[in-house]
Amino acid sequence: MSFFDSHLLHAVIFLPLLFAALVALLPAAEKGQIRVATLVAMLVDGVLGLLAYLKFDPAGPEFQLEHRASWIDEFGISFHTGVDGLAASLLLLTVFLGPLVVMASWTYVDERVKEFHLALLVLQSAMLGALCALDIIVFYVFFEASLIPMYLLVGVWGSEERQMAAMKFFLYTLVGSLLMLVAILGLYFVVQPAGGRSFDYPTVYNGLLSATGEVSRCVATGCDASTLSPLAAALKAWGPWMFLAFALAFAVKVPLFPVHTWLPDAHVQAPVAGSMILAGVMLKLGTFGFWRFAIPLFPAAAQQYRTPIALLAVVGIVYGALMCLAQRDIKKLIAYSSVSHLGYCVLGMFAYTVEGATGSAYQMLNHGVSTGALFLLFGMLYERRHTRLMADYGGIARVMPLFTAFFVVVTFSSIAVPGTNGFVGEFLVLLGSWKSALPLTFSVLAATGVILGAAYMLWMVQKVFFGEVTLRENQGLKDMGGREIAAALPFLALIVVMGLVPQPFLDRLNPSSERFVARAALGDGASGVSEQQVMMPVMPLAGQPTAAAPVPSRTNKALAGLQLLRPGAVPPQVQP
C-alpha cells in the first residue's frame, strides 16, 4: 500500500481540524470569509472521502486504507485506522453531508458565526475519526469528542428551550458512554492475560475467539463452568455485563426505545445544521457501534439478549410511528420518525441473516439521506415563517411549487416508495427478519410501521402543502433560491440513484454483512462456525515486520446462507 493510501484516512479525519485552526485565525466580523473557508474545507474533505470510498475494494481484505502507529505503548494503545465496507459507506455519507450542512446554515446562523463553524468542523473530524478507528480507546475518544460540539450547536444556536434539550442530550449520552468505558477497561483487565494486553480492536477480538467458542458451546450444552479455561470462565461471568454496558451506550445513541426521549427535544431545539448532522451521522454511531464492537466482541451475550433487543426495536418502530400521528409540530414529527426508522436498522442487525444485516447497513445510509433532507427542507420553510406548527401552514404548494415538489420526493423516500432508496433498505430488513429465527410476530409488527409511516407523512404533507392558503402570512412566501436548490439537489439525486441502482452500494456492504453474520452466529454453540473462519487480520505497528497468519481475506459467501442459523446446520469451510 502506498504512502498516500495508508494516510488517506488521516487526511479525511484531520483536514476539518486543520481548517478549524485557519478559521480560528479569521476575524469574527468576517462572516463571509468564515463561511467560505468552512465550505471549502467540507468540499475538499468530501473529495478525499469519495476517493477513499472508491479505493475500497469489496473483494479485498476486510480492513483497507489501514495504518497503525504507536501512541501509548505502556497501555497497548495505538493510533490504528482503517475501514471496512460499512465504515467506508458511512464515511461517504458523512463527507457528503458536510458541505450541505454549511450551505443550509448560510443565512440561518448570523450570530457567533465563527464559533458555529468551528463547532461544525470539530464535529466533522470527531465523527469521521469514530468511523475509522480500529483501536477501542481511539474510537472512544472520538465517540466522546463528538458530544461537545453537538452540545454547543444545540445549546447556543438552538430554539427557545435549547439549554434544556442540550443538557438532556449530553447527560443521556454521557451516562451510556461512561458505562461503556468501564466495560472497555474490563475487557483490558479481566479477559486479557497480563503482559499481552492491548486496546487494538482486531487483537482484542482474536484474543477472545477461543474463549468465545468455549462459552458458546458451554451455554449450548449446559456444561459446568468449572471445566472452562480461566479466560473463558472470566468471559462467561463478565461478558454479559460488558455487552450490556456497550449495548446501553449504543442504544442511547441510536436511540432505541425506551432510552430515546432525548432525541425529540434535541431535534426540535437544534438549528437546521444540528438536526441534519444528528439525524444524518451521529445516530449512526450507535448502530455502527453495535455492528463493529458490541456484537462481535460478545456474540454469546448478544445471542442471549438478541430477542429482547429485537423486541425493543420493533416496539420503537411502532411506537415512533404512532407518536408521529399524534404530533402537530412538524419538526417533532420528523424526529419521532427517526426513532421508527432506526428501529429497522436494529431489527435487521439482530436478525442475524445476511439480508437483514445488509438491509440494516443500507437503511443507515438511507436514513441519513432522507431524514437529513427533510430537516434541510423544513429548515428553509422555518427560516421564512419561524413556526413549526402544521396549523400555521396550508396551501404552501400554491406559492412554493418547486419547494413542494422537492419535499414530496423526499417524503416518498421516507415512506419507502418503490424506486426510492428507502424501499431497498426496509424491504431487505423485513425479508431478513422474516427468514430469521426471531418470532414471526416481529416481522409482522415491523411491517405495520411501513403503513403507519405512509399515514403520518402523507397526512403532514396534506396539511402543510395542499388546500387553500388560509393565512395571509403564507401568501407572499418565496420559492427556493439558487443556493437552496444547490443544497437540496444532491439529496434528490441520491434518493433516485440509491433507489434505482443500489447494487454498487450493496457490493461494498455485502462482504461486511457476511462477516458480521458469521461472527454473530459464533455466539450460538450449535451454529458450527469455527474460530478460524471469523478471525480478523491484525496489522503490525509501523516499522515492525508483518507476521504471517492464516487469516481469510474475506468470508466465504456460503456463510451467508440462511441455514447458518438453523439448529444443527454446519456451514461449509471458509477457504483462505
Side-chain angles (χ1 to χ4, degrees):
M1 186 166 55
S2 68
F3 178 87
F4 177 79
D5 287 350
S6 64
H7 289 82
L8 178 57
L9 293 181
H10 296 166
V12 174
I13 295 168
F14 293 112
L15 183 73
L17 278 184
L18 175 62
F19 272 86
L22 297 176
V23 169
L25 298 175
L26 293 174
E30 296 293 340
K31 299 179 181 179
Q33 293 183 22
I34 292 170
R35 292 186 178 109
V36 170
T38 307
L39 180 60
V40 169
M42 295 296 192
L43 287 172
V44 175
D45 205 41
V47 172
L48 293 175
L50 176 61
L51 183 61
Y53 180 77
L54 294 177
K55 279 181 171 290
F56 183 86
D57 180 11
E62 176 172 1
F63 298 119
Q64 300 179 32
L65 304 176
E66 205 174 352
H67 186 266
R68 185 183 176 202
S70 297
W71 187 17
I72 308 176
D73 292 336
E74 294 84 350
F75 300 106
I77 302 174
S78 60
F79 193 83
H80 188 184
T81 55
V83 290
D84 61 359
L86 176 60
S89 300
L90 290 174
L91 180 145
L92 180 66
L93 174 65
T94 305
V95 298
F96 166 79
L97 288 174
L100 305 180
V101 166
V102 177
M103 294 173 67
S105 307
W106 203 269
T107 57
Y108 190 89
V109 174
D110 200 45
E111 293 187 3
R112 298 182 177 177
V113 174
K114 181 176 179 177
E115 293 84 353
F116 176 82
H117 288 85
L118 284 173
L120 288 183
L121 291 167
V122 172
L123 180 57
Q124 187 80 346
S125 279
M127 295 186 300
L128 290 168
L131 293 172
C132 298
L134 289 178
D135 184 281
I136 301 175
I137 286 293
V138 174
F139 168 79
Y140 183 81
V141 169
F142 280 120
F143 187 80
E144 288 292 89
S146 66
L147 296 183
I148 299 172
M150 179 54 71
Y151 172 83
L152 295 175
L153 287 175
V154 177
V156 177
W157 293 277
S159 300
E160 57 277 356
E161 297 181 12
R162 57 187 179 272
Q163 293 181 358
M164 176 275 297
M167 185 59 67
K168 193 172 181 180
F169 155 76
F170 191 82
L171 291 177
Y172 265 71
T173 50
L174 181 64
V175 168
S177 299
L178 290 177
L179 290 174
M180 179 171 67
L181 178 60
V182 174
I184 291 172
L185 294 177
L187 258 178
Y188 185 78
F189 288 107
V190 176
V191 295
Q192 293 191 73
R197 290 170 177 159
S198 173
F199 286 105
D200 181 61
Y201 174 58
T203 302
V204 173
Y205 173 82
N206 288 344
L208 292 176
L209 274 179
S210 177
T212 297
E214 283 189 65
V215 171
S216 301
R217 290 187 291 272
C218 180
V219 171
T221 60
C223 75
D224 186 353
S226 61
T227 62
L228 298 174
S229 67
L231 183 59
L235 186 62
K236 187 176 188 298
W238 296 102
W241 295 102
M242 295 179 190
F243 170 78
L244 289 175
F246 273 89
L248 179 60
F250 297 138
V252 170
K253 185 72 80 174
V254 171
L256 188 66
F257 179 91
V259 289
H260 68 284
T261 56
W262 63 269
L263 181 65
D265 292 327
H267 268 317
V268 168
Q269 301 303 322
V272 59
S275 292
M276 288 176 66
I277 296 172
L278 191 59
V281 182
M282 281 199 72
L283 303 185
K284 311 309 178 305
L285 294 182
T287 51
F288 176 76
F290 271 113
W291 182 295
R292 171 62 60 81
F293 297 102
I295 296 174
L297 287 174
F298 310 103
Q303 186 75 30
Q304 179 182 348
Y305 293 103
R306 174 190 178 189
T307 302
I309 293 177
L311 176 61
L312 291 179
V314 173
V315 171
I317 291 171
V318 179
Y319 167 83
L322 292 176
M323 287 298 293
C324 288
L325 288 171
Q327 300 307 312
R328 298 298 180 266
D329 183 311
I330 300 173
K331 208 172 184 188
K332 187 169 284 190
L333 183 150
I334 300 173
Y336 274 110
S337 75
S338 289
V339 177
S340 184
H341 288 151
L342 287 167
Y344 286 104
C345 295
V346 178
L347 176 63
M349 205 182 309
F350 279 87
Y352 291 178
T353 59
V354 174
E355 293 91 342
T358 304
S360 171
Y362 205 66
Q363 190 65 8
M364 295 181 206
L365 305 179
N366 293 337
H367 180 265
V369 172
S370 58
T371 307
L374 285 174
F375 280 119
L376 168 71
L377 293 172
F378 178 72
M380 297 176 187
L381 196 57
Y382 184 80
E383 195 171 354
R384 289 163 168 78
R385 284 285 284 112
H386 297 286
T387 178
R388 300 188 299 264
L389 298 178
M390 295 182 204
D392 293 329
Y393 296 99
I396 299 298
R398 295 177 179 271
V399 293
M400 300 177 68
L402 183 59
F403 177 85
T404 303
F406 273 68
F407 202 98
V408 169
V409 172
V410 177
T411 298
F412 287 162
S413 167
S414 183
I415 63 179
V417 170
T420 65
N421 58 336
F423 174 77
V424 180
E426 291 190 8
F427 175 79
L428 287 173
V429 168
L430 291 174
L431 178 64
S433 64
W434 185 278
K435 291 183 175 181
S436 75
L438 293 173
L440 187 60
T441 310
F442 287 11
S443 301
V444 174
L445 290 175
T448 64
V450 179
I451 302 170
L452 293 173
Y456 65 72
M457 287 300 297
L458 294 177
W459 169 69
M460 183 265 288
V461 168
Q462 171 66 31
K463 294 280 289 182
V464 172
F465 292 98
F466 298 104
E468 298 294 329
V469 180
T470 56
L471 297 178
R472 184 173 57 185
E473 294 89 339
N474 296 328
Q475 294 175 352
L477 294 179
K478 294 182 179 180
D479 210 342
M480 299 174 72
R483 174 185 58 82
E484 293 172 325
I485 294 174
L489 266 179
F491 284 106
L492 265 66
L494 263 187
I495 286 171
V496 175
V497 170
M498 292 178 69
L500 297 179
V501 194
Q503 199 58 49
F505 300 94
L506 296 176
D507 285 342
R508 284 174 169 79
L509 294 173
N510 276 333
S512 295
S513 299
E514 293 164 7
R515 295 186 182 101
F516 169 79
V517 171
R519 287 169 180 156
L522 188 64
D524 181 3
S527 67
V529 179
S530 70
E531 292 84 11
Q532 286 293 325
Q533 291 172 325
V534 292
M535 288 182 69
M536 289 184 184
V538 177
M539 185 178 195
L541 289 168
Q544 293 184 356
T546 303
V551 178
S553 62
R554 91 176 266 186
T555 305
N556 192 295
K557 286 186 179 292
L559 290 179
L562 298 175
Q563 70 272 15
L564 184 66
L565 299 178
R566 292 174 183 165
V570 178
Q573 291 296 311
V574 173
Q575 298 299 322

